[in-house]
């Protein structure tokens, strides 16, 4: 296959010999926004992330295979992919471990008042707190039961939490105590102590967490978002953080970078990270394994 490989695959330059050994002819593009190193009609396959945000997929007339370096499909014109029968693979499972560890870090950071103790350490002050919370015995709802949600569930259950899953499709999964359909979300929010968002962004999930959803959340509960920023209506979240929620751990935002004048920067009950939850030292091996496995298993539709 004629492959266009982009720098969205961090280890791509070291893997070119392996691609050639599988019989693929390759060209490399470091920055996806830059001009293509070949005619758009040349690639039969691409390994990329946001390539089609900068180059029209309509110009890739011989394209029959897409390997994404992301887990989400929201940067790809999926209507065109489906209409043309292009085989598409994502990086499922590659980033799930570090994202799940970030979710646990957020919950523990809020429950164990990590920010308070960090400030006291910086000020060289010895000050105890008597209002710390435990994860043990709490109810955790994971909204989205895919690979990231499953890794989150495994870790929260290790802390003796009751772990509920909510998903569009309901299938049994031993990592969860129970999985329910989306229709039950308002009811489940009322009994949830820790809500973790791991589901994809779509027209149906945009602003899923809005003013009504926050009003359904249990007072004193926390929100953790490691999925997509637009799942949450920020204008509704801010007053909820000031009145109803114990706090939030947010890795993703509707506007990125988060604007300097956002009130979220100043709220003491919010832990912010700059869309960084996916980073982990095991990612390179997992992504390499996924890309090569998918290429070996690929049966792309022949170009007409």
């Amino acid at each position: 296959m004629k492959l266009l490989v982009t720098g969205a695959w961090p280890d791509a330059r070291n893997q070119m010999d392996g691609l050639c050994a599988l019989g693929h002819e390759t060209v490399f593009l470091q920055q996806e926004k830059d001009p293509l190193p070949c005619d758009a009609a040349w690639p039969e396959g691409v390994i990329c992330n946001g390539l089609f945000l900068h180059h029209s997929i309509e110009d890739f007339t011989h394209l029959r295979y897409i390997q994404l370096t992301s887990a989400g499909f929201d940067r790809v014109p999926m209507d065109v992919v489906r209409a043309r029968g292009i085989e598409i693979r994502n990086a499922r499972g590659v980033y799930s471990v570090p994202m799940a560890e970030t979710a646990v870090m957020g919950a523990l950071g809020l429950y164990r008042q990590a920010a308070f103790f960090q400030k006291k350490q910086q000020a060289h002050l010895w000050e105890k707190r008597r209002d710390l919370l435990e994860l043990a015995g709490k109810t955790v709802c994971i909204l989205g039961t895919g690979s990231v949600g499953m890794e989150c569930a495994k870790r929260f259950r290790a802390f003796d939490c009751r772990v509920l899953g909510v998903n569009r499709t309901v299938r049994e999964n031993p990592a969860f105590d129970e999985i329910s359909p989306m229709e039950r979300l308002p009811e489940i929010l009322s009994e949830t102590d820790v809500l973790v968002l791991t589901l994809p962004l779509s027209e149906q999930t945009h602003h899923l967490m809005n003013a009504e959803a926050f009003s359904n959340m249990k007072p004193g509960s926390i929100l953790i978002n490691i999925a997509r920023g637009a799942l949450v209506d920020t204008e509704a979240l801010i007053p909820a953080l000031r009145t109803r929620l114990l706090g939030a751990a947010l890795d993703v935002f509707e506007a990125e970078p988060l604007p300097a004048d956002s009130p979220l920067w100043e709220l003491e009950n919010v832990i912010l990270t700059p869309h960084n939850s996916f980073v982990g030292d095991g990612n390179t091996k997992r992504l390499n394994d996924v890309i090569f496995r998918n290429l070996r298993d690929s049966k792309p539709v022949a170009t007409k």
Side-chain angles (χ1 to χ4, degrees):
M1 193 188 322
K2 296 176 180 177
L3 281 177
L4 169 62
V5 182
T6 81
W9 181 10
D11 201 37
R13 291 187 184 275
N14 295 324
Q15 302 302 322
M16 290 302 181
D17 288 345
L19 294 175
C20 292
L22 290 179
H24 302 295
E25 184 180 351
T26 63
V27 293
F28 182 74
L29 174 66
Q30 180 61 51
Q31 300 292 335
E32 294 183 337
K33 64 182 179 180
D34 289 347
L36 297 177
C38 59
D39 189 277
W42 182 84
E44 297 169 312
V46 294
I47 300 174
C48 66
N49 183 2
L51 181 68
F52 302 116
L53 298 177
H54 310 286
H55 304 275
S56 174
I57 196 172
E58 302 289 356
D59 296 335
F60 290 75
T61 53
H62 290 89
L63 188 64
R64 53 195 177 95
Y65 181 84
I66 299 172
Q67 170 66 64
L68 299 176
T69 60
S70 63
F73 294 92
D74 49 304
R75 294 185 171 189
V76 181
M78 289 301 297
D79 53 340
V80 177
V81 170
R82 284 189 286 264
R84 289 173 50 182
I86 298 171
E87 181 179 356
I88 186 166
R89 304 291 188 99
N90 68 345
R92 175 181 171 82
V94 170
Y95 312 108
S96 302
V97 168
M99 291 176 71
E101 291 182 359
T102 299
V104 173
M105 177 193 74
L108 288 173
L110 291 167
Y111 271 16
R112 307 302 296 174
Q113 296 290 341
F116 171 85
F117 290 113
Q118 178 66 22
K119 288 181 180 179
K120 298 306 175 183
Q121 178 180 340
Q122 292 172 344
H124 297 194
L125 292 176
W126 184 274
E127 186 175 336
K128 296 181 183 292
R129 288 198 66 152
R130 305 293 183 182
D131 59 346
L132 305 183
L133 301 177
E134 302 173 1
L135 267 177
K138 299 298 190 294
T139 296
V140 176
C141 173
I142 299 174
L143 192 44
T145 60
S147 176
V148 177
M150 185 174 66
E151 293 297 332
C152 289
K154 286 158 52 176
R155 284 155 179 78
F156 280 107
R157 287 190 76 180
F159 280 89
D160 292 330
C161 297
R162 174 181 176 231
V163 180
L164 307 178
V166 175
N167 204 58
R168 184 173 57 86
T169 56
V170 177
R171 298 185 182 91
E172 287 191 18
N173 188 319
F176 296 84
D177 291 295
E178 180 184 341
I179 297 179
S180 300
M182 294 292 290
E183 291 74 22
R184 288 195 60 207
L185 181 60
E187 169 194 349
I188 292 172
L189 289 178
S190 68
E191 58 182 284
T192 293
D193 298 295
V194 179
L195 175 64
V196 184
L197 306 184
T198 66
L199 73 171
L201 177 63
S202 66
E203 290 183 8
Q204 292 71 35
T205 61
H206 182 267
H207 281 189
L208 181 65
M209 295 305 300
N210 51 30
E212 181 180 358
F214 288 124
S215 70
N216 290 325
M217 289 185 69
K218 181 179 179 180
S221 56
I222 66 176
L223 170 71
I224 298 172
N225 190 4
I226 53 173
R228 287 289 186 265
L231 296 173
V232 177
D233 180 349
T234 307
E235 290 189 7
L237 171 62
I238 291 170
L241 285 166
R242 289 172 171 155
T243 59
R244 190 173 190 86
L245 303 184
L246 175 69
L250 307 172
D251 184 61
V252 288
F253 306 89
E254 290 192 82
E256 295 184 0
L258 183 66
D261 60 353
S262 170
L264 291 171
W265 289 108
E266 305 297 331
L267 293 176
E268 293 189 356
N269 60 340
V270 175
I271 297 173
L272 301 182
T273 49
H275 204 143
N276 210 77
S277 66
F278 68 94
V279 176
D281 59 354
N283 285 353
T284 298
K285 182 181 184 305
R286 285 190 293 266
L287 183 57
N288 290 349
D289 289 347
V290 163
I291 289 173
F292 279 101
R293 181 173 66 247
N294 286 345
L295 283 170
R296 292 187 186 99
D297 294 345
S298 170
K299 296 180 177 60
V301 177
T303 304
K304 295 181 180 179

